[in-house]
Amino acid sequence: MSDRVYNVLFLSARNSARSILAEGILRKEGHGRFRAFSAGMEPTQVNPLALQVLHEADYQTEGLRPKSRGDFLSADAPAMDFVFTLCDSAGGEVPPRWPGRPVTADWSIEDPAAAEGGDLDRKAVFIRAHRYLKNRIAALVALPIASLDEAALTSQVRGIGQQDARPEA
């Protein structure tokens, strides 16, 4: 088994909900094998419902904060192995080019921060986004990354982005 730790960046529009959820989930689920990061094109403050849903699902929220995509393009930024876009407005497009040629995929999901309705309705959308991301991240963590060539790995992670949410075990 490889001792390699893979850097993963989750990108969304504002780094307030989807990418924060994904970063929090991968920190725990991929601990020791993956290092999780998140950023936004136009970062804003973290949505409190994202933090609440993570906390209630027993994920650490300390240190989760909005960051700019540009923070990860500087010369001293960690090199990314994977970059996933989460914006539902991306429409299945291939994520933008990234330094170092990481594996990229579009894992678009509905933006829970855009949910309307009462508190319970809005929270339900965050819980659904959490479930989608948790299932996709579980599939990523389960991949035999070291034994896959670049084309197979790219195909696998892009396929993960097409998965529907499934009930948690």
Side-chain angles (χ1 to χ4, degrees):
M1 179 156 189
S2 174
D3 290 336
R4 171 98 192 277
V5 176
Y6 298 97
N7 289 331
V8 179
L9 177 64
F10 296 100
L11 291 172
S12 64
R14 290 172 299 286
N15 193 213
S16 68
R18 294 169 287 202
S19 53
I20 292 291
L21 290 168
E23 181 181 0
I25 294 166
L26 185 58
R27 279 182 177 182
K28 180 177 179 180
E29 302 302 328
H31 183 73
R33 285 192 58 221
F34 295 88
R35 194 170 18 252
F37 303 92
S38 68
M41 306 306 177
E42 297 176 17
T44 187
Q45 88 184 73
V46 174
N47 190 300
L49 280 173
L51 298 176
Q52 181 182 355
V53 166
L54 284 169
H55 178 73
E56 290 175 359
D58 199 30
Y59 290 93
Q60 295 294 319
T61 60
E62 185 176 326
L64 292 176
R65 62 178 182 77
K67 298 162 291 297
S68 172
R69 175 181 185 257
D71 295 346
F72 295 94
L73 294 172
S74 67
D76 60 340
M80 292 300 144
D81 298 296
F82 298 90
V83 176
F84 299 110
T85 54
L86 303 176
C87 296
D88 55 340
S89 62
E93 296 174 12
V94 174
R97 289 187 166 265
W98 203 263
R101 297 194 46 201
V103 174
T104 61
D106 176 40
W107 283 9
S108 298
I109 63 167
E110 176 184 9
D111 184 2
E116 297 179 0
D119 291 346
L120 290 177
D121 295 329
R122 291 177 47 246
K123 185 175 180 183
V125 177
F126 274 85
I127 291 169
R128 185 172 58 240
H130 174 271
R131 186 175 58 241
Y132 270 94
L133 290 165
K134 183 176 180 184
N135 289 334
R136 291 174 181 182
I137 288 168
L140 172 67
V141 169
L143 285 176
I145 294 171
S147 67
L148 296 173
D149 65 30
E150 183 179 350
L153 181 57
T154 299
S155 177
Q156 290 287 320
V157 298
R158 290 185 179 169
I160 289 168
Q162 303 304 311
Q163 292 180 359
D164 289 331
R166 287 178 240 151
E168 296 175 332

